[in-house]
Amino acid sequence: MNDFQKENNNDDWKDALRSALIAGITGGPSEAERVYSQIGYYYLCSAPAFLYKYYSNTILNFETVKANKMWYSAPCNFNDVFDCDISIDEKEMFNDVLEMLPDKRQIRPGSPAWRELRETMRQQLKVLGSTFGAFRETTGISCLSESDESLLMWAHYANNHCGMCVEYDLLEISKQLGFTPVPIIYSDDRVCFRSLQIETIEKDSLNIFIQSITTKSSEWSYEREWRIIREKEVCGDKWNTDKKGALLEMIRPSSVILGCEAKRDFEKAVKEYCEANKINLYKMEKDKTLYHLNKHVILEFNF
């Protein structure tokens, strides 16, 4: 098996893709140009062709999809208390500060100079913590999935299978909107800020924050999540300060999948929309022998 096949049989490429994105965002123009060719490779050769957004069967959700829009919510609204939350290793960072003293001078633990230095560092960390807290309230994120058949997500996000799952073409998202969806990395370890280098603290902080919004606990791995991230400044006057989020443009769906428990009125409305816009429409059905959902064709168009 060659290296390309090995890479595509696991999710290591997602780590490489995220690393390239971080390098492009935190580096200079020349670095950004270099890494975006790598990003194109992963999008074309490793990533799934489509991403999916689960919706409950509300009028607001349906109107949002029909208008080719998508809601971006700040992480402070999310249901995972660890989502986008950053741990700070105060002890390790203080050791970094001690290493930066001129001529490697030694300070006896507990001495007045040691205590003053530690207090100064703690004040800086409070400022850093406030910065991360502000990021969690002023960054819009929309969450999608690689899967359209997750029983848990149909239950949790599509009103117990009564809602719908909307399919979007990954390359078209990037091409038409200039958005770069990022895959989530699942881990048992929290994202932690361990180093404090004054000359690179701004770049390091941004790096750590991007890692935090693209890393989740392994317990959420069934979601196979991707995220599109928009800063408040990019959203401009579309940012809703009260709701901490923004309703932004999205591409036209490739298809819509109804839940297996979708009610007749909702199914009728979705069918009329799909028929008028020549969008493929499917409905999930319960498998007769397995705990699995099968897609049944309602409308299918040749493009």
Side-chain angles (χ1 to χ4, degrees):
M1 184 181 292
N2 60 37
D3 290 342
F4 178 81
Q5 289 171 318
K6 288 179 182 177
E7 189 174 64
N8 280 271
N9 281 343
N10 55 48
D11 281 347
D12 290 349
W13 63 270
K14 292 183 179 180
D15 238 331
L17 171 58
R18 184 178 70 168
S19 296
L21 284 165
I22 291 175
I25 293 170
T26 60
S30 59
E31 179 69 6
E33 186 176 347
R34 183 184 69 81
V35 299
Y36 278 116
S37 63
Q38 297 177 342
I39 292 169
Y41 157 75
Y42 290 116
Y43 266 41
L44 285 169
C45 303
S46 303
F50 302 100
L51 295 178
Y52 300 91
K53 182 80 170 176
Y54 288 82
Y55 287 102
S56 60
N57 51 324
T58 67
I59 293 175
L60 179 60
N61 285 337
F62 187 36
E63 291 300 322
T64 297
V65 172
K66 286 168 63 179
N68 294 335
K69 294 185 182 295
M70 188 175 285
W71 177 256
Y72 288 74
S73 179
C76 59
N77 297 326
F78 290 173
N79 58 1
D80 177 8
V81 293
F82 288 103
D83 210 324
C84 307
D85 190 37
I86 298 169
S87 173
I88 297 177
D89 190 328
E90 186 176 319
K91 181 178 180 181
E92 196 164 333
M93 294 184 83
F94 186 52
N95 289 334
D96 260 6
V97 172
L98 292 175
E99 288 292 322
M100 288 187 284
L101 291 174
D103 303 320
K104 300 291 184 181
R105 293 176 185 170
Q106 299 295 313
I107 296 181
R108 182 179 64 80
S111 67
W114 184 90
R115 286 187 295 175
E116 182 180 352
L117 185 61
R118 187 178 65 172
E119 181 58 29
T120 300
M121 189 206 71
R122 282 180 171 171
Q123 293 303 317
Q124 291 177 334
L125 291 184
K126 283 183 180 179
V127 173
L128 193 60
S130 297
T131 300
F132 287 142
F135 279 152
R136 294 186 76 240
E137 297 198 358
T138 58
T139 302
I141 297 175
S142 193
C143 307
L144 299 97
S145 172
E146 293 181 27
S147 173
D148 62 353
E149 58 184 25
S150 168
L151 296 180
L152 287 174
M153 285 194 287
W154 273 109
H156 296 162
Y157 303 122
N159 189 22
N160 298 327
H161 301 260
C162 291
M164 62 183 173
C165 181
V166 182
E167 178 187 78
Y168 295 102
D169 187 299
L170 174 61
L171 291 179
E172 287 302 312
I173 293 173
S174 182
K175 185 190 300 183
Q176 292 186 36
L177 303 179
F179 294 176
T180 308
V182 189
I184 288 293
I185 305 300
Y186 296 98
S187 173
D188 293 327
D189 299 317
R190 292 180 64 186
V191 173
C192 184
F193 207 139
R194 292 188 170 90
S195 177
L196 188 63
Q197 301 292 329
I198 301 301
E199 63 274 12
T200 61
I201 189 168
E202 187 173 342
K203 180 178 178 180
D204 293 343
S205 300
L206 181 57
N207 186 319
I208 287 289
F209 180 67
I210 296 170
Q211 286 186 48
S212 76
I213 59 180
T214 55
T215 304
K216 293 182 71 172
S217 164
S218 299
E219 291 194 27
W220 296 92
S221 60
Y222 70 89
E223 291 189 341
R224 295 165 65 189
E225 185 179 342
W226 286 61
R227 289 181 167 179
I228 307 176
I229 303 159
R230 299 284 91 185
E231 301 87 349
K232 179 182 176 182
E233 289 73 19
V234 174
C235 298
D237 58 7
K238 294 182 180 178
W239 184 264
N240 188 314
T241 304
D242 294 331
K243 294 182 178 180
K244 292 185 172 61
L247 188 64
L248 303 178
E249 299 299 320
M250 188 50 173
I251 65 170
R252 178 180 180 273
S254 304
S255 70
V256 177
I257 308 154
L258 290 163
C260 61
E261 296 294 325
K263 300 299 185 285
R264 184 177 299 175
D265 288 348
F266 183 64
E267 182 173 336
K268 180 184 176 185
V270 174
K271 184 178 180 180
E272 288 174 354
Y273 156 70
C274 289
E275 199 162 22
N277 292 276
K278 297 192 181 309
I279 294 171
N280 295 336
L281 177 64
Y282 307 93
K283 186 174 182 178
M284 287 300 191
E285 293 180 342
K286 291 185 287 186
D287 192 275
K288 296 185 184 301
T289 58
L290 303 172
Y291 290 114
H292 180 73
L293 297 169
N294 300 313
K295 271 197 296 193
H296 166 71
V297 177
I298 297 178
L299 295 170
E300 208 163 43
F301 301 91
N302 294 320
F303 294 98

